[in-house]
Amino acid sequence: MINAFSLPGGSVYIGEGMLDLMMTEDELANILAHEIEHIDHYHCVERVQVEAKLKDLNLELLGALLQLPLDFWEAGYHKDEEFEADREGMYLAVRSGYSPYGAVDTFERFAKLCDEYVIHAQSPDQELSELAIQSLNGYFRSHPLPSERLAEANRLIAQEHWETRKEQKPFRIEYEVHNGAYVK
Ligand SMILES: [Zn+2]
């Protein structure tokens, strides 16, 4: 799954396919911060309340949240909420000591992927599986164009004079847990 999403209450999920695309810890920090900002600005709470009304779910019941389908969580938010999460996420990542270029590099990679797999739908020797491409398409449908997000990220870097904060930490996996057991 090449996507990331957050639930009210603070859980953030990030797909393995998305992790596979990351080259630096700063890219991961910017993605996580983006999802945290959706929670912090109550974007996901509003969506849950709308969906619950439509489906007549009683959110007082703990199980009701789990009745919302996965594609609801993957569907994304309004365009202005996405830009808000990008912008506030970059502030959060920078305040935590990460490079804002983590966001820039991620959006550049998304722009390239969007061009290769969505605009010019590559086929025979493509590096990604059909499934990965499907989830990538879902991600691009639910987010503003990567080229627009990239332009906004660069604009914020110029505005905040963050140009010197270029250094990023390489992405590495500390440990893995499968079904509750450490495997590495
Ligand atoms: Zn988002």
Side-chain angles (χ1 to χ4, degrees):
M1 186 183 82
I2 304 181
N3 210 334
F5 55 100
S6 41
L7 301 187
S11 302
V12 173
Y13 295 86
I14 180 161
E16 201 173 354
M18 182 71 98
L19 289 176
D20 286 343
L21 293 178
M22 314 235 143
M23 308 294 288
T24 70
E25 200 173 305
D26 307 71
E27 292 175 30
L28 177 61
N30 276 279
I31 292 272
L32 291 178
H34 171 108
E35 293 306 324
I36 289 166
E37 292 301 334
H38 278 315
I39 298 168
D40 204 32
H41 290 275
Y42 299 101
H43 298 159
C44 44
V45 176
E46 285 162 23
R47 290 193 60 228
V48 167
Q49 285 165 346
V50 169
E51 185 85 354
K53 243 192 191 119
L54 289 174
K55 295 220 166 126
D56 213 15
L57 296 175
N58 179 2
L59 289 181
E60 303 290 306
L61 299 172
L62 198 62
L65 265 185
L66 300 173
Q67 293 173 37
L68 300 176
L70 183 64
D71 53 343
F72 163 76
W73 299 110
E74 288 185 329
Y77 304 94
H78 296 297
K79 203 172 161 178
D80 52 337
E81 291 176 329
E82 289 300 341
F83 283 123
E84 183 177 33
D86 278 349
R87 193 172 56 243
E88 298 292 318
M90 283 174 74
Y91 282 114
L92 186 58
V94 167
R95 277 201 298 272
S96 311
Y98 288 103
S99 169
Y101 287 95
V104 167
D105 289 354
T106 302
F107 298 146
E108 274 177 354
R109 192 163 311 117
F110 286 165
K112 191 166 168 280
L113 285 168
C114 187
D115 185 58
E116 283 172 8
Y117 291 99
V118 181
I119 300 169
H120 301 109
Q122 270 196 10
S123 53
D125 55 345
Q126 57 196 7
E127 292 162 48
L128 294 178
S129 71
E130 265 322 305
L131 206 65
I133 292 169
Q134 265 177 36
S135 69
L136 196 61
N137 271 291
Y139 181 81
F140 289 134
R141 264 198 307 277
S142 60
H143 286 79
L145 275 179
S147 54
E148 290 178 32
R149 300 174 77 189
L150 176 61
E152 281 301 305
N154 279 319
R155 200 193 50 74
L156 187 62
I157 288 171
Q159 179 196 304
E160 297 297 327
H161 309 293
W162 286 335
E163 290 90 345
T164 53
R165 297 170 186 255
K166 280 225 159 68
E167 202 184 321
Q168 299 187 45
K169 299 170 200 70
F171 184 88
R172 64 191 182 92
I173 292 167
E174 197 90 16
Y175 60 83
E176 275 183 44
V177 179
H178 285 194
N179 298 323
Y182 286 94
V183 293
K184 195 181 150 192

